Amino acid sequence: MRRALAIARQGIGSVEPNPAVGAVVVDDRLQFIAEGFHQRCGESHAEVNAIAAAGGKTQGAQLFVTLEPCSHHGKTPPCAEAVLAAGFRRVVIGCLDPAPHTAGQGIEKLRAAGMEVVVGVCQDAAEDLIAPFRKLITTGLPWVHAKWAMTIDGRIASHSGHSKWISNAASRAEVHRLRGRMDAIMTGAGTVRADDPQLTARPTGPRTPLRIVVDSDGRSVPADGQLMSSLSAAPLLLCVREAVWTSDHLKRLTDLGAEIFVTSGDDRQQQVQQLVCELGRRQLTNVLLEAGSGLMGSFFDQQLVDEVHVFVAPKIVGGQAAMSPVGGAGLSQMPQLASLSGLTVRRFEDDILIEGRVQR
């Protein structure tokens, strides 16, 4: 099962909005026969790929799969039927499929046919693997990754606003790899004004993320800026408030190819909520938030952040007016427990990358 989990991760960035799934075929002595993973959305699922790789050696064998085989007709036929036709003696499953159109039905179909089914092997790891898919399918909201780079004294810019560069070139290359597996990259008006960013993955990854700018009136995005000049590389969505959406500036941006999403009300919290719901409606699974402390704080205040990627550079900038990464209202008391779980720490030359999932 650990091998199935490992190969499943190769599909991350290519299979969304589907979940990443891996499968391994072994004989009765647990000797390896074949393996497969879900490689791209719309193509064969992990079980089918593993069965094909086994070359007819599945009769009486065992199948280890990270997620319950699907039982419905979608872009591909039901995997449960393929598993039955392959003649496996035993199927070992990591976790149940949270999708309502499966939700245990695949297991019921296998057991009804007399197949031995074991559920819950490496269950925590299997559920962690599909966490973004689970959130989208059960709540209608995307999995939000918050990323920032800061000095060792917790600053994302000096008191003057200067921020290039906090992290080193190796860290920035890792950011581009992260961007390349996202469905969208989001930032705020202040970041656009300060940095004139492209918000693209360079080099490109398996996905071409939608670029999103959260603004009140859209004036942070100039018609001749990098976001507009790179529309051929990636689409741009500008999230603005209702009162200003008919402005001449926004009309010019739409004529040049940008998309405008209009939110109701003047409150930033409402704007963020409406935008996140819209991204879920569009079936965007992973959204990367690269923003200043204001927008970052809004997401944390509303408990919309699911995972963080923090680059810490061995630099000290100091200054009471220097910006910290997360603004907003914040918490009134220090949390008793750790805010993140599943921590990993990696080093990129002198920089350190800390990653973890937000605990609710």
Side-chain angles (χ1 to χ4, degrees):
M1 186 62 75
R2 289 196 174 97
R3 175 60 185 170
L5 288 163
I7 62 173
R9 294 185 181 95
Q10 296 179 48
I12 293 175
S14 299
V15 301
E16 290 82 1
N18 290 348
V21 183
V24 174
V25 179
V26 297
D27 63 19
D28 270 345
R29 296 179 299 165
L30 300 183
Q31 297 300 304
F32 176 84
I33 295 176
E35 65 186 20
F37 66 97
H38 186 27
Q39 298 182 17
R40 190 173 299 278
C41 181
E43 297 182 0
S44 299
H45 290 183
E47 302 94 318
V48 174
N49 288 333
I51 291 168
K57 298 179 181 179
T58 57
Q59 191 69 37
Q62 301 183 68
L63 175 68
F64 284 73
V65 60
T66 59
L67 184 66
E68 173 187 4
C70 62
S71 59
H72 67 287
H73 284 270
K75 293 182 179 179
T76 60
C79 290
E81 293 183 4
V83 171
L84 287 173
F88 289 105
R89 179 185 67 78
R90 184 170 180 252
V91 176
V92 182
I93 296 170
C95 67
L96 296 177
D97 190 334
H101 50 256
T102 298
Q105 296 178 42
I107 292 171
E108 289 178 8
K109 181 174 287 189
L110 299 180
R111 285 177 172 161
M115 187 171 289
E116 180 186 353
V117 179
V118 178
V119 182
V121 175
C122 298
Q123 182 172 334
D124 289 346
E127 290 182 344
D128 281 347
L129 177 66
I130 65 163
F133 169 75
R134 180 185 298 277
K135 184 183 181 187
L136 182 62
I137 204 76
T138 59
T139 70
L141 301 178
W143 186 266
V144 177
H145 303 250
K147 169 265 162 184
W148 65 82
M150 66 182 187
T151 61
I152 203 167
D153 59 335
R155 299 293 190 264
I156 60 171
S158 69
H159 66 84
S160 67
H162 186 262
S163 62
K164 287 188 176 180
W165 293 99
I166 292 175
S167 58
N168 61 34
S171 294
R172 297 196 296 274
E174 178 62 18
V175 171
H176 284 284
R177 284 190 287 271
L178 179 64
R179 286 178 175 182
R181 64 178 180 86
M182 294 289 137
D183 292 303
I185 302 170
M186 184 187 309
T187 195
T191 299
V192 176
R193 291 191 184 99
D195 299 339
D196 188 24
Q198 291 186 45
L199 295 181
T200 55
R202 304 183 298 276
T204 57
R207 307 190 81 75
T208 300
L210 170 69
R211 299 171 300 166
I212 304 168
V213 177
V214 181
D215 197 353
S216 58
D217 57 12
R219 295 195 176 277
S220 67
V221 179
D224 58 353
Q226 291 205 85
L227 286 169
M228 294 301 297
S229 62
S230 58
L231 281 174
S232 59
L236 174 66
L237 176 69
L238 185 56
C239 178
V240 300
R241 297 175 186 171
E242 190 172 22
V244 300
W245 78 274
T246 56
S247 72
D248 291 340
H249 177 67
L250 291 182
K251 287 180 179 178
R252 185 182 181 193
L253 295 185
T254 56
D255 288 343
L256 291 172
E259 181 185 0
I260 309 297
F261 176 69
V262 182
T263 60
S264 59
D266 295 327
D267 182 76
R268 166 59 69 83
Q269 306 286 63
Q270 291 178 328
Q271 186 182 27
V272 166
Q273 275 286 352
Q274 291 173 42
L275 173 59
V276 171
C277 288
E278 171 64 14
L279 300 182
R281 188 192 66 78
R282 297 184 183 205
Q283 293 286 286
L284 303 189
T285 307
N286 291 285
V287 174
L288 180 62
L289 178 63
E290 293 189 55
S293 63
L295 186 58
M296 193 71 73
S298 294
F299 270 80
F300 274 99
D301 285 347
Q302 296 183 75
Q303 298 188 8
L304 292 172
V305 176
D306 301 289
E307 189 169 345
V308 299
H309 311 263
V310 181
F311 292 87
V312 183
K315 299 176 181 179
I316 298 173
V317 67
Q320 292 184 351
M323 287 185 288
S324 62
V326 182
L331 301 178
S332 59
Q333 295 182 348
M334 188 65 62
Q336 292 184 351
L337 302 176
S339 299
L340 303 178
S341 64
L343 285 179
T344 63
V345 179
R346 290 185 284 162
R347 186 166 176 171
F348 292 87
E349 297 178 358
D350 289 336
D351 290 354
I352 294 173
L353 170 59
I354 302 171
E355 297 175 295
R357 292 187 173 179
V358 177
Q359 298 195 96
R360 300 286 182 237

